[in-house]
Amino acid sequence: MDATSQAGGATATAGGPVVGGQAGPADPLLPYLSADFPWYGLDEGWTGRRFLMQAGAGGHRAGAAGVDYGTLGHGDEPARQYEPRDVRKFAVVVTVARRDSRRSADNTGTLEATSASSAAWLAGSGLLAATWPGQLDRTLRQDWLDQQSTLAWDLADDLAGPGWSTLSLPVNGLPQTFRYRESEYGWVLAGEAPGVLLGAFGRGVSAYGIGFSTVPDLVSYARP
């Protein structure tokens, strides 16, 4: 299973969504615009806030950084520190490029092809990073995060296993089957969509009532 920064390895080319206006050098849209795959977010059924999160550059080829995955947020932004009463409600969509097996960025090994497990791992680790369980200090939380990340990796590598159930959700208006699981921290799902691999995680927002669609214009995510 390929995941996190290992999801990359392709040359970035123009071919992302069309955005009104031209992106400047410091524009947070820039990494999204350099992707050679379509971005997905929640469909028009979501009427709340939308925001950019992070686009990941997984590797280098011919001197160019390859954007291979990224996240778009919906609702409340994940907390940066522990909140005694966490009432945030959010859903984050993870888009992962389809990549064949390829050389690593430092050319010392081979990276696996991306798969739905890649999206599951990125979604699972994203949920953990957005979760602050109990009144843990930073040291204890890091221990917890390491332990839970190992579990999330194992679960993502076995999408057909008993840790997952099946959930059908619309993608561009058509039903698509996803693998889905819930925990005390929130929910995670992963599957496929036209042109990409798709994952999502959230809490306080029901996964059963969402749908996904390609994002033709990222301006709605870039607004403050």
Side-chain angles (χ1 to χ4, degrees):
M1 179 187 67
D2 188 12
T4 59
S5 63
Q6 295 180 333
T11 304
T13 60
V18 176
V19 178
Q22 186 174 358
D27 196 320
L29 281 171
L30 196 57
Y32 289 89
L33 294 174
S34 68
D36 60 352
F37 54 89
W39 293 102
Y40 281 77
L42 297 188
D43 62 18
E44 68 279 358
W46 176 262
T47 58
R49 181 174 176 241
R50 299 171 184 259
F51 54 95
L52 299 174
M53 294 187 69
Q54 183 179 14
H60 297 274
R61 180 180 300 170
V67 175
D68 297 289
Y69 63 92
T71 48
L72 296 174
H74 308 78
D76 300 320
E77 291 195 44
R80 302 302 180 188
Q81 59 186 13
Y82 170 69
E83 296 181 355
R85 186 167 180 267
D86 192 349
V87 295
R88 293 169 300 126
K89 298 180 179 181
F90 61 85
V92 175
V93 180
V94 183
T95 306
V96 183
R98 294 180 183 269
R99 304 293 192 213
D100 296 329
S101 59
R102 60 237 182 263
R103 302 296 295 178
S104 61
D106 58 8
N107 206 36
T108 60
T110 302
L111 302 179
E112 297 176 8
T114 53
S115 66
S117 290
S118 307
W121 159 242
L122 287 166
S125 60
L127 177 62
L128 292 174
T131 303
W132 290 80
Q135 298 188 29
L136 297 180
D137 62 29
R138 289 188 178 275
T139 301
L140 290 176
R141 183 177 186 270
Q142 187 59 53
D143 292 341
W144 172 86
L145 188 60
D146 291 343
Q147 180 186 54
Q148 294 299 314
S149 295
T150 299
L151 176 60
W153 179 277
D154 291 341
L155 284 167
D157 213 18
D158 186 23
L159 287 179
W164 300 85
S165 59
T166 299
L167 180 61
S168 180
L169 295 171
V171 177
N172 290 332
L174 299 175
Q176 179 69 39
T177 299
F178 291 89
R179 299 299 286 169
Y180 172 80
R181 68 179 178 87
E182 292 182 0
S183 73
E184 60 184 301
Y185 311 114
W187 52 263
V188 171
L189 60 80
E192 300 186 7
V196 299
L197 304 158
L198 204 60
F201 64 91
R203 62 185 296 175
V205 174
S206 174
Y208 290 85
I210 63 174
F212 305 100
S213 64
T214 51
V215 180
D217 189 335
L218 283 165
V219 167
S220 60
Y221 288 89
R223 293 192 184 104

